Each structure stands twice: as C-alpha cells, then as structure tokens.
Amino acid sequence: MYNSLFIYNTISRKKEEFKPINSPYVGMYVCGPTVYSDVHLGNCRTFISFDLIYRYLMHLGYKVRYVRNITDAGHLEGDGDSGEDKISKKAKLASLEPMEIVQTYTNGFHDMMKVFNVLPPSIEPTATGHIIEQIEMVKTILEKGLAYEVDGSVYFDVEKYNQEHNYGVLNGRKLEDLLNNTRDLGGQDQKRGKLDFALWIKAKPEHLMQWPSPWGMGFPGWHLECSAMSSKYLGDQFDIHGGGMDLAPTHHTNEIAQNVAACGKHPANYWIHTNMLTVNGQKMSKSLGNSFLPHELFTGDHTLLHKGYSPMVVKFFMLQAHYRSTLDFSNEALDASEKGFKRLMNAMALLDKLKVSENNEVDIKALEQKFEAAMNDDFNSPILIAELFDVVKTINSIYDGKANISETTLTELKSLLNEYVHNVLGLKDEFSETNEIEPLMEFLINIRKEAKEKKDYVTSDKIRIGLQDIGYQLKDSKEGTTWSKT
C-alpha cells in the first residue's frame, strides 16, 4: 500500500486506489454550511476531516482545487421543497435583511475555521452568486425532457430519469424501495412523482429572496446550487465530492441525478462522507439537550461539560477517530485527548533540546513509511497519531539519555514531524510559550544555581518542586540545567 492512496468510495462501498482524472491536478467539492446560524460541531467535524484530506493530498504533491460552497439561499426548512427559507425566516425574526444574516454567520463560520486552523478552500462560491448558472442548468434539464414546469415551479422527474439511469446509485437502493418509503403526495402537491424534487421554486410575493427566471419570480432548489457550482469550477467530471453522511441519501443523490441529466456524466469519481457525532452514546440533538456549540466546548459553559477544552484539543480529539467512524463526546474522552495532545506538543518542544551523538538508533525511512501507510489507508489519522506517540517515546528516551540520535537524523526527524503534525494534521501548539517564558526560566535556573553554590538547598529544592507543581521539569547534567513541560 506504500505510495498508493486508497479512499473509501461511498458508491462502491469499498476502498479504491486513488487515480485522479488529470494528475497531478485534483478537483474536490465539499458541501459547505447554510449560513443562518452558528456553525455546529457536526459541521466542524466534517470540515476538519476534509481539511485533513486537502492537506494530505497536497503533501503527496497534488495540486488541489478545493471548492466549498456557502448556501445563502434556497435551503428550506426540513431540507425539502416546502416551508420557509431558513435564512429568510431568521431575517424576519431579527428584522434584518437576509444578506445581513448571511454575512454575520459567514463571518462567524470563517472565524471558527481559523480557530480550528482549517485552511480556506481554493474557491468559496455562494448560491446567490450563481443564479444564472442554476437557471441555465434547469433549462438544459427541461430540454432533455427530465423535468417539468408547473405554475412557475420546475421539478425533476425521478421516475423518468430512472428509466435510463440508476437514481439510487449512491445509497444502493432500488427506486421501488425508495418509493415505498416515501410519503404519499398531498392533494395540493404539484409533483407528479413522490420522489420528484424542485429545481426552481415559484416565490410567493412575501418571499424575501427571489429572482426573475423564464418561469417567473422564484428561487433555486437547494440541491441545484451544488450541481451548478461544482460543474462550473471543476468541470462535468471531477475527482472527489464530499460532505456529511446525512447528505448522501437525498442531497447528494439528487445532485448526481441533476448532473447526469444535464451533461450525461456522473460528476465525481470518489464520494467521501463523514460520520455523525454522539454525546455519551446518544445522537447529538437540540431536542435531547445534549447539543453544544464550539464556543461552549471551549469555555465549558454547558451542563454536560465539567470544564472547557482548547480548540486544538478538540481538533486533536476529532482526529483521533477515523472520519467514517461515529465520534462520541464525553468529558473522559476529552480529558484523555487533552493529556495526549500535551504529550505530543511537549515532545515536539523537546526536539530542540535533544543532544546529538555519533551513534544513531532512529530509522527515519521506517517512520516515514509508517506515517504514509496510515494516511494512505483512507486518511487513517488515528493510526497516524498512534505512530506519532511511538515517536514521542523515542524522543523522551533520547532526552533522558537512554537512546541516541545523530545530528543529521535529528534534522530529518524535525522536518518529518513538522510535516505530519503541523502541515498534515493541522495542529498548533497552544501550550507553547517558549519565546515568552524562556528568559523567566533561565532567570529561575540561575537563581537556583546560585542557591546550590551557596549550599542553600532549601531554596534550590523549593524552585525545582515549585516549577514541577505548575508543570515544568528541570533536569541537571554536567552541561548544565535544562527545562521542559511535563
């Protein structure tokens, strides 16, 4: 598997070797947030997961065009074709323009991504900025005979589409099963089939966000925007499409149908989906009272949390679970991640304090192969982190004088760890205060040295024990005294 990346493809339900359409270029589209409220932890996990994927693809040398959209129109309540627009509803309640709501929560989303050290995408298109492209796609699908217009709204004809294409290709379900598990159409419903979905929706006069179209004033269906924007920026066929697993049954299924209907091609070769979050074994939801926002996790201001956790600890916690696994939040699990993250960062800080030797016991090539083998196995960050902790033990052994490393190998080790810890995992050392605390530590070490020279062992021990109590360890040797975080 070394040197070959394998990705679990939702469509085939198996891991497949990654072969880009036009290597070294890679096109990746990820469904972004609907900006009507603060970004929730489930969204954060998805975007942290795709940040890992984005970073690793670039580590492998690919030139990635990463497109992640902003949904700022067309997403109705219940994720269907009825109810109020989520953004318009929030705007009415707050007595604001819809674009004020969009701007506020887009800014908040960007701020949160920066807090988690998530790289920005190459392109971040908005639904409202691509109304023309969406209207043109609707026209094309109508011309192909796979949609129909009723009183200013346009609907996709799923059953007609399924006569030549497999509508359930993504979720592996037959049309008959999907029909049997869908509610009957109400007497007022304009749709011909139970699975038909809106491409364009006629707007009522009071609807705040609407645009002129060949079918009258209206707005695009939620599924349409991603099809229009992915094809505009990545072409009719591209490499990777991703999002949360909750999008696969309907949103992504409908995307595929729209793209195939419009251009005759399946949009993406690899479909990647992240799993959901649970809290103490239960699904995270507002109704259960176990849902919390990222800032509540940071401050600990929630009844289910006994303390707050830093953003990098939360990110590290998320990366310790595979992106396709359920991630369960608990105080105990977060506490363990906090300790693990500090151990890793402390070891990274020790690299500059290691003494080199003519002898060497560290095999950089073997470490690099282990790291790459973990990530090449469907971006397996938990295995990568486990391998990193093995290196932490080695670093501590070298620091304690129980193992040796050469100068050349130490340079290579620093480079390798920096690449995987900072550039691939995207972790930052929040606990590192070396630049500010170094002069203070040297001052205390010198006072302790003077006390020892005066045989004032009470003061000497008081400094050593006091520093140890607040998380700093002193180590005496023939060359002098060094310090590290514990």
Side-chain angles (χ1 to χ4, degrees):
M1 191 179 296
Y2 182 58
N3 283 336
S4 293
L5 170 63
F6 284 78
I7 297 175
Y8 182 87
N9 195 343
T10 303
I11 284 189
S12 65
R13 289 156 195 80
K14 64 182 180 182
K15 293 177 187 176
E16 299 177 2
E17 185 176 355
F18 181 58
K19 295 180 179 179
I21 295 169
N22 186 28
S23 185
Y25 300 97
V26 172
M28 181 169 75
Y29 187 95
V30 175
C31 292
T34 301
V35 284
Y36 73 103
S37 64
D38 291 316
V39 62
H40 58 75
L41 279 173
N43 280 148
C44 289
R45 188 203 183 180
T46 293
F47 302 130
I48 286 171
S49 296
F50 282 100
D51 183 61
L52 174 74
I53 291 168
Y54 180 35
R55 287 170 178 271
Y56 189 64
L57 289 171
M58 290 192 293
H59 164 81
L60 292 178
Y62 291 115
K63 300 180 186 301
V64 186
R65 178 178 288 177
Y66 176 17
V67 182
R68 187 187 66 204
N69 73 296
I70 294 286
T71 296
D72 58 354
H75 197 166
L76 304 184
E77 293 177 297
D79 299 342
D81 297 332
S82 60
E84 281 194 79
D85 181 288
K86 293 182 177 185
I87 292 166
S88 293
K89 182 176 181 179
K90 190 67 173 273
K92 288 177 185 176
L93 290 171
S95 298
L96 296 170
E97 282 289 329
M99 283 299 115
E100 288 183 86
I101 297 297
V102 166
Q103 193 66 55
T104 296
Y105 290 111
T106 299
N107 290 344
F109 170 64
H110 288 156
D111 290 344
M112 189 56 64
M113 292 300 98
K114 287 178 184 176
V115 166
F116 280 121
N117 197 30
V118 168
L119 297 173
S122 314
I123 302 172
E124 192 173 53
T126 63
T128 55
H130 295 78
I131 298 298
I132 292 173
E133 288 85 352
Q134 293 175 80
I135 288 173
E136 289 303 311
M137 183 168 271
V138 175
K139 285 182 183 178
T140 301
I141 296 172
L142 276 168
E143 289 168 4
K144 297 286 183 67
L146 293 172
Y148 54 92
E149 186 256 335
V150 181
D151 190 27
S153 292
V154 181
Y155 298 98
F156 191 93
D157 193 329
V158 171
E159 291 185 55
K160 188 172 182 181
Y161 169 84
N162 196 68
Q163 290 173 5
E164 295 186 14
H165 309 281
N166 181 6
Y167 175 69
V169 63
L170 187 62
N171 53 32
R173 301 183 66 186
K174 295 180 179 179
L175 188 70
E176 294 75 20
D177 296 332
L178 293 169
L179 287 168
N180 290 335
N181 288 294
T182 304
R183 66 174 178 83
D184 290 328
L185 294 171
Q188 305 301 314
D189 207 312
Q190 298 175 323
K191 299 176 188 178
R192 295 175 185 170
K194 291 194 291 183
L195 292 174
D196 293 356
F197 57 91
L199 298 173
W200 187 264
I201 303 171
K202 180 181 180 180
K204 295 178 181 178
E206 65 273 16
H207 194 90
L208 293 179
M209 304 175 79
Q210 52 180 291
W211 293 264
S213 79
W215 317 285
M217 295 299 292
F219 54 94
W222 173 41
H223 314 300
L224 184 65
E225 62 178 276
C226 291
S227 288
M229 290 187 284
S230 65
S231 59
K232 178 180 175 68
Y233 295 110
L234 298 175
D236 292 340
Q237 283 187 302
F238 51 95
D239 298 297
I240 297 171
H241 196 313
M245 66 181 298
D246 57 311
L247 298 179
T250 304
H251 183 57
H252 287 167
T253 291
N254 290 347
E255 268 192 69
I256 291 171
Q258 289 166 162
N259 283 72
V260 173
C263 69
K265 297 177 181 178
H266 192 288
N269 286 343
Y270 303 86
W271 287 81
I272 301 176
H273 292 96
T274 58
N275 212 323
M276 65 178 184
L277 303 180
T278 58
V279 180
N280 297 318
Q282 285 187 302
K283 183 180 178 181
M284 184 182 287
S285 71
K286 290 181 181 179
S287 60
L288 292 174
N290 67 353
S291 174
F292 36 77
L293 294 170
H295 70 82
E296 293 174 321
L297 198 56
F298 303 154
T299 62
D301 187 20
H302 194 284
T303 54
L304 292 176
L305 296 168
H306 64 209
K307 58 175 281 191
Y309 301 90
S310 72
M312 284 300 106
V313 166
V314 175
K315 183 174 185 176
F316 185 69
F317 167 71
M318 290 184 179
L319 293 170
Q320 282 185 294
H322 191 265
Y323 75 87
R324 285 193 293 113
S325 301
T326 301
L327 180 64
D328 188 54
F329 276 84
S330 69
N331 288 293
E332 294 75 20
L334 286 163
D335 286 343
S337 287
E338 185 174 57
K339 290 177 183 176
F341 179 68
K342 287 182 178 180
R343 270 187 66 210
L344 179 59
M345 291 300 109
N346 289 343
M348 293 288 289
L350 282 180
L351 288 170
D352 288 328
K353 300 178 182 181
L354 297 184
K355 290 184 173 60
V356 296
S357 168
E358 292 183 3
N359 299 320
N360 180 64
E361 300 170 45
V362 180
D363 187 340
I364 293 295
K365 187 68 175 178
L367 291 179
E368 189 172 10
Q369 288 184 351
K370 288 178 181 178
F371 293 175
E372 194 165 309
M375 288 300 291
N376 280 347
D377 184 13
D378 194 28
F379 312 102
N380 202 322
S381 57
I383 298 298
L384 171 61
I385 290 170
E387 298 290 358
L388 286 170
F389 277 130
D390 281 343
V391 180
V392 168
K393 294 176 185 175
T394 301
I395 292 170
N396 289 330
S397 293
I398 296 168
Y399 182 74
D400 291 335
K402 298 175 183 176
N404 298 309
I405 189 168
S406 67
E407 185 174 359
T408 302
T409 304
L410 178 58
T411 301
E412 293 173 344
L413 180 62
K414 287 178 182 178
S415 177
L416 180 65
L417 291 180
N418 179 69
E419 178 64 16
Y420 275 89
V421 174
H422 299 311
N423 295 340
V424 173
L425 292 175
L427 296 170
K428 296 190 298 184
D429 186 0
E430 298 168 313
F431 302 98
S432 176
E433 308 154 308
T434 304
N435 293 337
E436 293 147 11
I437 208 167
E438 186 83 48
L440 177 59
M441 292 300 294
E442 292 303 320
F443 177 69
L444 290 170
I445 287 170
N446 285 333
I447 291 177
R448 178 170 175 265
K449 180 182 178 183
E450 291 173 6
K452 288 175 73 176
E453 288 172 350
K454 295 175 182 177
K455 299 188 178 182
D456 181 3
Y457 299 115
V458 173
T459 300
S460 171
D461 289 344
K462 189 174 183 179
I463 293 172
R464 178 180 57 80
I465 294 168
L467 287 172
Q468 188 171 306
D469 287 343
I470 61 173
Y472 296 92
Q473 179 182 355
L474 298 182
K475 183 183 179 185
D476 297 318
S477 67
K478 292 178 181 178
E479 289 79 14
T481 301
T482 57
W483 65 274
S484 63
K485 280 197 168 190
T486 57

